Amino acid sequence: MNITVFDNLEKLYTKAADTFVDLAGKSIRKNNRFVVALSGGSSPKAIFKLLATPEYAKQIEWNKVYFFWVDERWVPLNDDKSNFRMTDEALLSQVPVDKSHVFPMYSDGTLPENYAKTYEEQIRSVLGDDGVFDFILLGMGDDGHTASLFPGEEVLNEKEKWVSAYYLKPQEMFRITLTAPLINKAENILVVAFGESKKHALNEVLNGEYNPVLYPMQLIERKEGFQFFTDEKARG
């Protein structure tokens, strides 16, 4: 697995933005589009803000990028907790995207379980039955979760569905998420996880016994196209 340890976060964010630009260019030259699934959180936000700067924005054919999300809290799109809202404010509203290529992971007046089926249909409408994203950006929580694949949850056992929605009791809210089988199909995956609070989980994920019930990040296959960006505080 390709693990890169950075000595400061600015270098990490820059390399992540460079990776996005590089993969976008290659995919658009090859397939005339770039289909991505993005994560929420503070580290993706910093990357998105960088991509929205003129220096980076001019390097991407934004009208050929298709935007999906890795996971979402089941809240309205204008809610402070919405991953879509964060991405829209930091990036989508700042660059000339084709709005018909943007697929938020939420819909008013719909049950989350029903929308999970709709979202899978939307993915299939773009990617076909192969379901291979060009690029997926993931984070990792202090507990080793990624996307909304939390320790001990039934969604970790999913083998068939591409998208799942369920009630996460510790957070007292519904979550909707891409499942591990779909994430693992992606051609390129970048995980960004840094800081001292991630040290224990990162060590278990990389060096511990295989136990994805406790450390769901282990469900994500370490294969060609998989990269992990971290820092010295987390790597130890």
Side-chain angles (χ1 to χ4, degrees):
M1 180 173 58
N2 188 351
I3 304 174
T4 307
V5 182
F6 295 86
D7 58 15
N8 72 68
L9 295 184
E10 292 307 314
K11 291 179 182 178
L12 186 155
Y13 297 146
T14 298
K15 182 62 176 176
D18 289 343
T19 299
F20 188 99
V21 169
D22 179 59
L23 294 175
K26 289 178 179 176
S27 181
I28 290 170
R29 285 192 295 273
K30 181 180 179 181
N31 301 315
N32 202 37
R33 68 180 189 179
F34 184 48
V35 187
V36 305
L38 303 177
S39 292
S42 58
S43 47
K45 183 176 182 179
I47 297 165
F48 300 157
K49 283 188 170 183
L50 196 53
L51 288 169
T53 62
E55 177 185 356
Y56 279 94
K58 68 183 180 183
Q59 300 181 60
I60 297 172
E61 293 182 79
W62 291 104
N63 64 326
K64 295 181 180 179
V65 183
Y66 289 72
F67 295 92
F68 291 87
W69 274 260
V70 169
D71 72 321
E72 185 62 276
R73 301 171 183 88
W74 193 252
V75 294
L77 297 179
N78 61 357
D79 192 285
D80 288 343
K81 297 184 180 70
S82 168
N83 289 337
F84 168 83
R85 175 176 172 174
M86 180 277 287
T87 309
D88 186 55
E89 291 178 350
L91 177 62
L92 302 183
S93 63
Q94 308 299 317
V95 294
V97 300
D98 183 335
K99 292 184 178 180
S100 70
H101 294 174
V102 178
F103 298 87
M105 215 175 204
Y106 175 84
S107 180
D108 285 323
T110 306
L111 293 174
E113 299 94 330
N114 292 340
Y115 197 67
K117 297 175 184 177
T118 300
Y119 207 71
E120 179 169 332
E121 292 170 359
Q122 291 177 345
I123 294 171
R124 289 182 185 274
S125 73
V126 174
L127 294 178
D129 292 335
D130 291 336
V132 178
F133 281 93
D134 297 310
F135 175 71
I136 292 181
L137 176 64
L138 295 174
M140 186 188 76
D142 297 353
D143 58 358
H145 86 268
T146 192
S148 283
L149 307 177
F150 285 88
E153 297 295 334
E154 184 61 31
V155 68
L156 303 179
N157 300 316
E158 183 58 58
K159 299 292 191 295
E160 302 297 329
K161 295 178 183 176
W162 286 5
V163 185
S164 182
Y166 69 99
Y167 188 75
L168 185 61
K169 289 183 180 179
Q171 295 185 4
E172 298 183 338
M173 70 185 326
F174 280 93
R175 308 281 301 220
I176 182 169
T177 185
L178 304 188
T179 63
L182 179 62
I183 293 171
N184 283 327
K185 291 172 178 279
E187 190 167 339
N188 297 280
I189 296 173
L190 172 60
V191 182
V192 176
F194 54 81
E196 193 166 351
S197 65
K198 307 290 172 75
K199 186 175 181 179
H200 174 75
L202 182 58
N203 182 60
E204 291 295 330
V205 167
L206 298 180
N207 306 314
E209 293 184 12
Y210 184 72
N211 190 351
V213 174
L214 279 180
Y215 300 101
M217 177 58 77
Q218 290 182 330
L219 288 172
I220 309 307
E221 297 172 2
R222 309 174 195 180
K223 59 181 183 178
E224 185 178 355
F226 182 105
Q227 295 188 78
F228 207 119
F229 287 2
T230 187
D231 69 346
E232 294 171 349
K233 292 180 179 179
R235 197 71 172 101

